[in-house]
Amino acid sequence: MPEHLLEVCNLSVRFHTAQGPVQAVDNVSWHLDRGETLAILGESGSGKSVSSAAIMNLIDCPPGEITQGEIWFDGQDLLTLSNERRRALNGKRIAMIFQDPLSHFNPVYTVGWQIAESMTAHDRPASEAWARAHDLVKRVGIPEPDQALRKYPHQFSGGQRQRLMIAMALALKPDVLIADEPTTALDVTVQAEVLTLLEDLQAETGMGLVLITHDLGVVADVADRVVVMEKGKIVESGTPHAIYHTPGHPYTRKLVAAAPGKGALRQPSTASEPLLSCRDLAKSYGGFDALKGISFDLMKGETLAIVGESGSGKSTVARLVLRLEDATHGQVLWKGDNLLTMSRRDMTGLRRQMQMVFQDPTQSLNPRMSVHELVSEAWAIHPGIVERRHWRDRVVALLEQVGLTADHATRFPHQFSGGQRQRIAIARALALNPEMIICDEAVSALDVSIQAQVIDLLGELRDRLGLSFIFIAHDLPVVRDFADRVLVMQAGHIVEQGKTQDIFNAPSMPYTQRLLAAGLDPDPDVQAERRAARLLLANS
Amino acid sequence: QDSEVTIVLSEELDLIDPCMATRSNIGRVVLQNISETLTELDVRGDGGVMPRLAESWELVDENTWRFMLRDGVTFSDGTAFDAGDVVHSFERTQSDANSCEISRYYEGIDMQLTAVDDLTLDIRTDPAQPIMPLLMTLLTIVPSETSMEFTRDPIGTGPYQLTEWNVGQSIRLERRDDYWGEASDVSAATYVFRSEPSVRAAMVQTGEAHIAPSISALEATNPATDFSYPNSETTYLRIDQMTAPFGDVRVRQALNMAIDREAFIGTILPDGSIPAVAVVPPTTLGWNGDLTTVDYDPEGARALLAEAKADGVAVDTEFMVVGRIGNFPGATELYEAITAMLTEAGFNAKLQMVEVAEHEQFYSRPYVEGTPYLIGAQHDNSRGDPVFSMYFKYHSEGRQSGVYDERVDALIDQATAATGDEREALWSELFALLHDEIVSDVLLFHMVGFARVSESISFTPTIATNSSLQLSEIGLE
Amino acid sequence: MTELSTQHRPVRSKSHRMLALLWADKFAFTAAGFLCLMILCALFGPMLLADAASGQNLRARNSVPFTLDRGWLYILGGDALGRPLLARIVVAAQNTLMIAAGAVVCSLAIGTFLGLLAGYAGRIWAEVILRLADVIMSFPSLLLAVIVLYILEPSVANLVLVLAITRIPVYLRTTRAEVLEVRERMFVQAAQVMGASRRRIIFKHILPVTLPTLITIATLDFAFVMLAESALSFLGIGIQPPEITWGLMVSQGRAYLTSAWWLAFWPGLAIILTTMSLNLLSSWMRVALDPTQRWRLEMEKRNA
Amino acid sequence: MKQQIGQRALTSLISLLGLVVLVFFLSRLTGDPAALFLPVDASEEMRQNFRALHGLNDPIVVQFGNYMADLARGDFGESLRRARPALDIVLEAFVWTLQLALITMSLVAVAAIFVGSVAAFTVGSKFDRFASLLSLVGASAPDFWVAILAIVLFSLQLGWLPTSGTGTIWHWIMPVAVLFIRPFGLILQVVRGSMLSALGSPYVKTARAKGVKSKSIIFVHTLRNGMLPVITVMGDQAAALLNGAVVVESIFGFPGVGKLMIDAILQRDFNVILAAIMVTALAIFIMNLLIDLSYALLDPRIRK
Ligand SMILES: Nc1ncnc2c1ncn2[C@@H]1O[C@H](COP(=O)(O)OP(=O)(O)OP(=O)(O)O)[C@@H](O)[C@H]1O
Ligand SMILES: Nc1ncnc2c1ncn2[C@@H]1O[C@H](COP(=O)(O)OP(=O)(O)OP(=O)(O)O)[C@@H](O)[C@H]1O
Ligand SMILES: [Mg+2]
Ligand SMILES: [Mg+2]
Ligand code: NI
C-alpha cells in the first residue's frame, strides 16, 4: 500500500445525546495524497464536518466518542498520539477552515492578532507573524489590509470573515488543509480568486487539500477525486468526471440531478404595489460607508435577489430594513409607512410580517433552547397563529418540510451540523407565516438535493401565499432558478438591477458580466473548458 | 532600651487631653504619667488621700481649703509649675470652648480658686466641700498657657512626656530627666490598641506587649501572668419606682429574691465577682458591712407577688429587661439568664438588648415611656467616696435615679456636706436604707477585671487600674 | 446517520428528569439532601425543640461535645448558659434561613431586575440606576442599619431590608455587565426580528445566560448575610436574644473561641455546610440547565 | 469617550451630593452625639455646651447650610470627638485601607483567576473539586474565626508572625490573608462558572485547530471573554474592602477606615461619617468608572 499523506481508516464517531447515541460518522475511510484535492460531497448532516474534526482532535470526548478507526499522517496514527503532539501538528502541518466563520473567531481579539497567533503559537516571532498576516489578508482580497488587521471580527461581512479564516489556516503553509465549505459566503469572483490561491499554494508546497463542499461547480473546477457521503457513510467515490456523468449510488444520482441552474427562468408576475421600498438608504460605520444610498422596491409576491461582491453591503441592507441597526439616513417604506421612524411598539406589531434567516445560523439560534422551543417561540410571541396544543405537530411538520426529522425537535443547536442549523433557522422564519422573508445566504450551506427541496418549498409558499423574498445569495444558479428580479451590488452601491432574465442573459454592467463569467459549471468537462479559457485570458 | 514597656489598651484614644483623664483609657495614659494632680488616692495601702503636686492642705474656714504646692516642679515644656497653673487648669475644665469631662465632678459647686502666692492656692466653695482633697485627685494640671480648646499636645508635670502619637497605631511616652520626683524604672512606654481581648492576651504572651490591663476572664488562665482586680464596676438593674408594678416594695423584693446570684459566679461571670449590696465597691467610704445579699428564693418571690397581687398590684404587667450589648463580657448571657429567672419566679419579663446610644435613652432622664422596664447598667466608682454616685443614682432628681424618697434626698444632701466619721456614718445609713428598706434596685455584682502582665516586669493591678496605670509603679525584673 | 436508539425512551416528566440529573451528581445530591434536612429543621424545629433550646442549666455550661452523659441533645455540647447546642442550632434554622433567604432573594431579584433594566433600557435609565448602585455601594451598611433602627422599628423585616439593600449593587452591576455582552449576540437580534417584546428578550434570552453567575454569587452571599445579620443584631436591629440565629450563636461564641471552641464552631459549621450545599447545587444547576454541558450529568448517569 | 467621561463625572458628582444630603439628614435622625460623648452622669448644662460647641443646637437646615458652605471651601468640619479636622482623620485611615485593599485585591485577582480558570478547564477533576470546596469553606467561614485561629496558630503556637499591629511586612501577612479568603472564594467561583461557559465556545475549537497551547487558550482566549462578570464582582469585593474591613482592622489593630467609620457611626460623629463616606464614595465611584471603561476595553462589541 503506497504511503498516503493522510489516510482515514474505518473511522466511526458517535455522539451521546439525551435521547441516546447518534452515529455521526460510520466506518469512513479515505485518503489524500500530496498535492491532491479530495472533495467530500454529501448530504447535509452526513458527517463531513465531524470526520474532519476528528482529524483535528476537536471532538469533545465525551460527549463525542471515536468508536473505531485510525487516522494516519506522517507515518503515525493521530488517534494514538498525545494531545500535546497533536497540538504541535495542528495549524502547522494540518490546518482547518471552519464552516461558520463568525462564531469561530474570538470576538474580543483583533483579526490581525488572531491570524498572527496561528504563527506565534508555533514559535514564529511576532513581527514576522504580523508581516505574514498582512500579506495573507491582502492575498485573500480584503481591502485595506493594514486597517483590517486591527479590526474585530464583528466588523467584517460574512464573506470577509470566511476569507480571514482562510488566511489564518494558510498562515503556516500546512501539508494538509481541510476546508469545510470555504466558499459558502463568497461571490463567484472572489471564490475564483480563493480557489486559485489554494491551487497556487498546492503547486508551491504540495499541500493536500480536503475540500468539503456542496457546490458541484467547485468540485468540477478543482477536485482530483471525490467521495460522496450520506448518513455517516461513504456511498461512492471516484473522479469528478465519473461521479458527474455516471453516478452509481442513488443519492449521488439525486445530487447530480438536483444541480441548480438548469430550470426555466421565472416569468415575474406583472407589477403589483410595492410591499417594501428603500429610498436612498445609507449606513456608515465610523468613517466607513458600508452602504452609500441605495433605492429599490420589492413588490408583493416577488422574489428580489441581491447578489454582489462580498462586503458590498448586502447583509447591511437586511439589517437596516429590519431595524436591527439604525440607518445613517434614508427611508424604508413598508406598505407606505416609514419603518425607520416608527415607534418601537408599532414596529413590534409589524415584525411578524417580516422575517429573516441570518447569514450565520449558529449564532442566531439561542444555544439554550431546544429546536422545539426555537421554532415555537414565534407562536409564543404572537399568540393566535397556532394553538398551543398543535405546537408539537406543527413544529414537526415544519422540520420535515426543511428535511429534518421529528426527533430533532428535542435536540439543541450545538448538536447539529451547519446545514441543519440553517434549516432550523428557515423553519423558524416560516413558522410565523410572514409576508416577507429576508434570506441571507439561507441555503448556502445545504447540499444541492436539500437545497432544491428547500427552494421548492419556498417557491411553493410564494405561489400559494404570495410571500415576498429578499434573497441574498452568491450562488448564481440558485438565483437564476428562484428569483424574479436581481439586484447587483458592489461597494455599497447598486450597480445594476433588473429582471432575472435580463440580468442573466444580457448583463449591461462590466461587474455583472464578470460575475456571470466567473460562474462554475457542475459538469467537469464544461468547467475544464471554461477554466482553460480563463487561464488563457489570464496569461495573455 | 530594656526598660521600655508596651501596654496594650482596649481601644484607641480619641484625645489625650488631660482634662479627659477620667475616661479609663485616656486616664491610663495620662494620669500621673503625663499630667499630675494635686492629690492622689492611695489604692495600694490605706493612706487615703496623699500629696502629689500639693505638699499639704488645710481647711482655712468652713468653705475654704488651702493647698500648699510643691516647689521646683516644671512642666515638660520647661515652664515652672505654680498656683496660677492650677487656677487655669480648673478654669479650663469649666470653659465653654471644650467639653471636658472632669467638670462634672465639680458640678453644682460654686468654686473660686485663688492663687495666694506662687505656691499657695485657696479654694473657696459654696456649699462647703469637705472632700476637696479627694476632688483634687481628679483635676489634672496643665500649664497656664494651654488654650481652652482641646489640645492634642498635652503638657504636664508628670514623670513622662508624650513624644509620639501615631494616630490609630501607637502612643509613646518617654521619661523626663527633669521630673521633680524619683526617677522610675521604665524609660519609655508605648501604648497600642487592640479591641479583641484574646489578641491583647496573646500579645503579652508572645512578648509583643508587657501589660494588657484588661483581658477577658476566659483568657486569664495562666496564674503566673494573669491577675484579677476589682475593677470598681458594679452591675445592677435600675428600677423606676414611678412605673407599675415596681412602685410596690414587695415586687421589688421579689425581683431581688428571684435572682440566683451565686449561680453566676464562676460561670458567666468570673470567680472573684462579688454579689453587690451597694452600687459602689466595698473600698468606698461608708461601706456598710452589715448588709447582706438577698437570698435566692423563687418560692418566696412568688409568694410576695401573690400577696401584692391580692392587694391589687398589677404584677402581671409585661416589662422589659433592657441590657446593653457588649457592656461587659457575658452581658447578653447574664441578662438572658436573669430574664429566665424572673420568668421562673412568675414575672412577665422580656429581654431587650440594645446598643449604646439606645441604652443611654433608657438609662437617663427623661425615661422611655411605654412598656415598663428594668435597665441593666454598670456603674464605676473608684474614687473612694459615694458622693460621685449617690446623687445621680438615687436622688429624686438624679439623672439615672428611680427612687423618689425624701429621706434618701435628705441623707444624700447631709452626707455630701459632712466630713469625717459623720460622713461615713451617713453614707452607711443611706446604703442600709436603700438596700433593706426601700429596695431601690436589683443590685447584682461588683465586677472584676483581668490584666495580663508579662513575667519580665513586676506590676500588680489594683482597683485603680481601670482608670489609671502609673508607669512609675512598674518594676523591671 | 443512523439513530442507534430507534425506539425512544418513554418521555418522562420534567421533574423526574431533573431528579435523575441530580442523582447523577453525588455531591449535589448530598447537598440537596442536607438542604432538605435544614428546611425540615426550620419548619418543625421550633415546634419540637423550642423548650430544650431555651432551657438554661448553668451546670451544663460550656459542656463539652461528644458525650451522651447529659442526653443526646448535648451531643454537640452546651452553650454559655448550658443550653444544648444541637437543639439551638435546629431551632435557629428557622430564623436564620428566613432572614438569609429573604435578604438574598430580595437583593437578587431587585438587583437583577434593575441590572436588566440598566443593561437593556435607555441611557437615562441606565445612568440613574447605575448611579444609584454607586450610592448604595458607598453607603455603609452599618449606618443604614442604625438609621433604620432609629426611623423604623427594629424587626426582622427591617433587618432583611437592610441586608437586601446593601447587597443589591453586586447583582445589579453583574447583571448589567453580562447584559451588555449578551445583548450583542445574534440570537437576541433574531428574537427581536421575531417581534419578541423586551420583556421576553430579557427574561427568556438574556436572563438564562446571566443567571448562573448571579446564583453563584447569591449562594456565597448566603453565608455573608447570615454572618452580617449577627453584626447588625449587635446594634439592636433584628434578631435579639432570646431569639436565635446561627449568626448570633457564632458571634456569641466569639468570646469563647479559645476556651470553648464548640460554641461558635457548630453554628459556623451549619452556615458553612448550608452555603456549600447551595453552591454545589448551583454548580449542578449551571450544568443541568446548560444544554451544551448537560451531557456531563447524562454521561455519568449512563456510566453509573 | 472624553465626553462620556465628562458626563459620568457630572452624574457622579450629583450622586455624591445626593449621598451627602442623604447621610447628613438621616444620620442626624439617629440620636444625640452629646449623650454618647459625655459620661452618663454629665449634666444637662454640659450637654448643651457640647451641642453648642458643635453647632448642633441650630435648626437642622441651618446646620446643613453651614456644612455645605464649609464644604464648598474644602472644609469638612471637625470631628466631634477628636478635636481634629475630620478629613485629616479619614485620609490617614484611608491610606491604610487603600493599601490593604489594593494588596488584597491584586492577590485575589491573580490567585482566583488562576485557580478558577484551571478548575474550569479541568472541570470535575480532583483539583476542581478540591479547590472549590476549600475556597467555599474559606469564603463562608466567619472571618473572626479565621483571624483568631491564625493568631493562635502562627503567633502563639509557631511564633512565626507578630499577632497584630503595623510596622513590618510581617504584620501585613495575616490581615491580608484573612481578607483574601472571602473574595478569593467568591471570585474563584465566578471565574470558574464564567470560564466554563466560555470554554464551550467555538472559537476555542479554532484555537485548538491552530495549535494554540492550552495555557494560552485558557488565559488568553477564554479568560478575556469571561472577564466581564469577574471584574464586576471584583469591584464589589474591592468596594467592600474600601468601605473598611472592620473585623480584620479591629482584630489586627489596623488603623483603617472601617474601624473609624464604625466608631464614628456608633458615636454619631457626623463630620467624620460624612468625610469618610465622601472619601470612600469617591474611591468607589472612580473604581466603578474604571470598571465600566474596562468593559469596552475587554469586549470590543460593547464599544458604541
Ligand atoms: N454534539 C453533537 N451531538 C449530537 N449529534 C451531533 C453532534 N454534532 C453533530 N451531530 C450530528 O452528527 C451528524 C454529522 O454532523 P456534521 O456536522 O458532520 O455534518 P456535515 O456533514 O458537516 O453537514 P453540513 O453539510 O450540514 O455541515 C449530524 O447529523 C449531526 O446532527
Ligand atoms: N459593525 C461593523 N463595523 C464596521 N464595519 C462593518 C460592520 N459591519 C459591517 N461592516 C462593513 O460593512 C461592509 C458591508 O458588510 P455586509 O455584511 O453588509 O456585507 P455583505 O454584502 O453581506 O458581504 P458578504 O457577502 O461577505 O456577507 C463590509 O465591508 C464590512 O466590513
Ligand atoms: Mg458541516
Ligand atoms: Mg453578508
Ligand atoms: Ni455555495
Side-chain angles (χ1 to χ4, degrees), chain C residues 262-273:
Chain C
W262 52 94
L263 261 61
F265 179 78
W266 297 120
L269 189 69
I271 292 177
I272 292 178
L273 287 180

Side-chain angles (χ1 to χ4, degrees), chain A residues 105-427:
Chain A
F105 271 107
N106 193 330
V108 300
Y109 289 99
T110 60
V111 296
W113 184 89
Q114 295 188 56
I115 295 175
E117 194 205 22
S118 62
M119 292 169 268
T120 50
H122 295 281
D123 305 323
R124 297 292 142 86
S127 56
E128 184 193 318
W130 277 87
R132 175 136 176 85
H134 185 272
D135 189 41
L136 284 164
V137 167
K138 203 153 81 189
R139 289 276 302 267
V140 294
I142 304 284
E144 302 181 37
D146 280 315
Q147 282 179 26
L149 287 180
R150 270 180 277 123
K151 291 211 272 184
Y152 291 90
H154 70 277
Q155 294 171 313
F156 290 94
S157 79
Q160 288 168 336
R161 273 178 235 147
Q162 198 157 37
R163 283 178 278 163
L164 292 166
M165 181 65 88
I166 293 170
M168 194 154 81
L170 295 180
L172 286 172
K173 300 189 177 164
D175 293 333
V176 174
L177 176 66
I178 303 170
D180 194 351
E181 312 271 15
T183 59
T184 43
L186 302 183
D187 62 286
V188 277
T189 51
V190 175
Q191 170 176 313
E193 281 166 31
V194 166
L195 292 178
T196 313
L197 171 64
L198 292 178
E199 269 174 11
D200 289 352
L201 213 67
Q202 259 182 315
E204 188 187 327
T205 65
M207 175 178 80
L209 175 64
V210 179
L211 188 66
I212 300 172
T213 182
H214 64 278
D215 194 331
L216 295 178
V218 173
V219 175
D221 192 36
V222 297
D224 296 317
R225 274 187 308 117
V226 181
V227 296
V228 182
M229 289 182 71
E230 190 202 11
K231 295 195 166 81
K233 293 198 174 65
I234 291 189
V235 293
E236 190 163 358
S237 61
T239 62
H241 186 273
I243 296 283
Y244 188 76
H245 290 286
T246 54
H249 190 270
Y251 173 71
T252 321
R253 276 204 291 277
K254 196 166 98 189
L255 209 60
V256 173
K262 290 175 295 203
L265 284 169
R266 273 178 57 84
Q267 288 304 320
S269 50
T270 40
S272 53
E273 78 276 27
L275 187 66
L276 179 88
S277 324
C278 291
R279 294 281 164 268
D280 196 25
L281 198 58
K283 171 78 188 171
S284 61
Y285 292 105
F288 174 74
D289 294 323
L291 215 54
K292 298 169 183 159
I294 63 162
S295 307
F296 65 88
D297 289 322
L298 174 71
M299 302 300 164
K300 201 161 165 34
E302 186 190 42
T303 302
L304 175 68
I306 304 182
V307 300
E309 210 181 17
S310 160
S312 58
K314 305 184 292 292
S315 304
T316 306
V317 172
R319 287 198 298 269
L320 293 185
V321 166
L322 291 170
R323 269 187 72 181
L324 292 175
E325 277 174 17
D326 292 326
T328 312
H329 67 83
Q331 285 183 313
V332 178
L333 301 174
W334 174 259
K335 298 177 180 167
D337 301 329
N338 190 352
L339 290 181
L340 300 188
T341 55
M342 198 173 272
S343 76
R344 197 180 272 268
R345 174 172 318 170
D346 294 343
M347 188 70 200
T348 310
L350 284 183
R351 290 251 186 231
R352 80 157 274 212
Q353 298 171 16
M354 40 186 125
Q355 286 300 300
M356 170 155 178
V357 179
F358 288 85
Q359 188 170 11
D360 191 312
T362 312
Q363 298 264 310
S364 72
L365 302 175
N366 188 338
R368 288 172 172 267
M369 293 168 91
S370 70
V371 172
H372 174 84
E373 288 169 310
L374 284 166
V375 176
S376 63
E377 186 181 19
W379 306 321
I381 296 171
H382 301 281
I385 300 179
V386 178
E387 275 178 62
R388 188 172 283 267
R389 62 196 159 92
H390 294 311
W391 283 9
R392 189 180 296 272
D393 300 338
R394 190 77 187 96
V395 168
V396 170
L398 278 168
L399 290 181
E400 277 168 358
Q401 279 179 331
V402 295
L404 296 172
T405 59
D407 48 55
H408 284 136
T410 50
R411 284 211 224 158
F412 291 87
H414 72 277
Q415 294 172 316
F416 288 95
S417 77
Q420 286 169 329
R421 282 178 213 152
Q422 207 161 40
R423 284 180 273 163
I424 297 168
I426 295 173

Side-chain angles (χ1 to χ4, degrees), chain B residues 104 107 152 169 194 400, chain D residues 40-41 43 84 163-164 166:
Chain B
R104 77 184 141 123
E107 198 159 81
R152 295 181 59 79
Q169 299 172 71
R194 301 289 182 268
Q400 287 94 28
Chain D
V40 282
D41 42 8
S43 66
R84 288 185 71 200
T163 54
S164 55
T166 53

Side-chain angles (χ1 to χ4, degrees), chain A residues 15 24 44-50 99 411 415 417-420, chain C residues 1:
Chain A
F15 283 100
S44 166
S46 59
K48 306 183 292 290
S49 301
V50 170
Q99 200 171 0
R411 284 211 224 158
Q415 294 172 316
S417 77
Q420 286 169 329
Chain C
M1 181 197 70

Side-chain angles (χ1 to χ4, degrees), chain C:
Chain C
M1 181 197 70
T2 26
E3 297 278 350
L4 283 192
S5 63
T6 41
Q7 153 209 29
H8 276 254
R9 297 177 192 187
V11 183
R12 287 173 303 181
S13 72
K14 201 164 171 165
S15 56
H16 197 118
R17 223 172 40 230
M18 283 319 244
L19 253 160
L21 289 181
L22 186 60
W23 176 241
D25 185 344
K26 294 295 176 292
F27 281 92
F29 189 82
T30 321
F34 180 79
L35 286 178
C36 286
L37 184 71
M38 285 301 122
I39 291 171
L40 286 180
C41 287
L43 288 179
F44 303 111
M47 231 147 65
L48 299 173
L49 288 173
D51 289 339
S54 57
Q56 297 171 7
N57 173 7
L58 287 176
R59 257 171 316 260
R61 172 185 155 80
N62 294 352
S63 60
V64 294
F66 308 126
T67 68
L68 288 172
D69 297 348
R70 296 177 190 277
W72 62 274
L73 280 177
Y74 281 88
I75 183 83
L76 301 183
D79 78 350
L81 289 174
R83 296 169 293 199
L85 284 170
L86 178 62
R88 285 176 72 74
I89 287 176
V90 169
V91 171
Q94 187 173 56
N95 279 331
T96 311
L97 295 184
M98 223 162 59
I99 292 170
V104 171
V105 170
C106 285
S107 55
L108 177 67
I110 299 173
T112 308
F113 177 75
L114 290 179
L116 290 169
L117 217 59
Y120 206 75
R123 278 186 56 88
I124 300 193
W125 271 108
E127 196 69 24
V128 170
I129 292 174
L130 287 172
R131 292 299 79 75
L132 187 74
D134 283 358
V135 167
I136 299 178
M137 246 169 135
S138 335
F139 205 104
S141 52
L142 202 79
L143 180 60
L144 186 68
V146 172
I147 291 171
V148 166
L149 176 69
Y150 270 78
I151 298 180
L152 310 170
E153 284 289 290
S155 74
V156 173
N158 289 333
L159 177 69
V160 171
L161 179 83
V162 170
L163 291 169
I165 288 181
T166 50
R167 293 311 293 161
I168 284 177
V170 67
Y171 299 106
L172 194 163
R173 288 185 55 83
T174 312
T175 311
R176 169 175 168 268
E178 291 253 67
V179 170
L180 287 186
E181 190 248 327
V182 177
R183 71 168 187 204
E184 298 297 323
R185 296 196 190 167
M186 195 104 86
F187 63 79
V188 176
Q189 299 190 358
Q192 231 172 322
V193 167
M194 272 196 287
S197 59
R198 279 190 198 197
R199 208 175 63 211
R200 186 177 183 85
I201 290 180
I202 287 177
F203 288 105
K204 204 68 196 164
H205 294 275
I206 295 183
L207 192 60
V209 184
T210 57
L211 207 56
T213 308
L214 297 174
I215 293 196
T216 303
I217 303 173
T219 55
L220 277 164
D221 261 2
F222 235 81
F224 178 77
V225 164
M226 288 188 226
L227 294 169
E229 168 262 308
S230 66
L232 295 185
S233 16
F234 189 78
L235 287 178
I237 178 171
I239 293 296
Q240 290 298 326
E243 290 282 308
I244 22 171
T245 63
W246 294 340
L248 206 59
M249 292 176 72
V250 168
S251 66
Q252 285 192 347
R254 177 172 179 166
Y256 304 90
L257 207 56
T258 43
S259 53
W261 54 267
W262 52 94
L263 261 61
F265 179 78
W266 297 120
L269 189 69
I271 292 177
I272 292 178
L273 287 180
T274 309
T275 310
M276 215 147 73
S277 301
L278 284 167
N279 196 279
L280 286 172
L281 217 55
S282 88
S283 299
W284 167 81
M285 210 157 69
R286 178 189 285 276
V287 175
L289 292 185
D290 184 346
T292 59
Q293 302 276 337
R294 194 176 296 159
W295 57 265
R296 293 184 198 285
L297 300 170
E298 286 165 345
M299 294 295 281
E300 256 168 62
K301 184 178 66 183
R302 207 185 50 175
N303 294 345

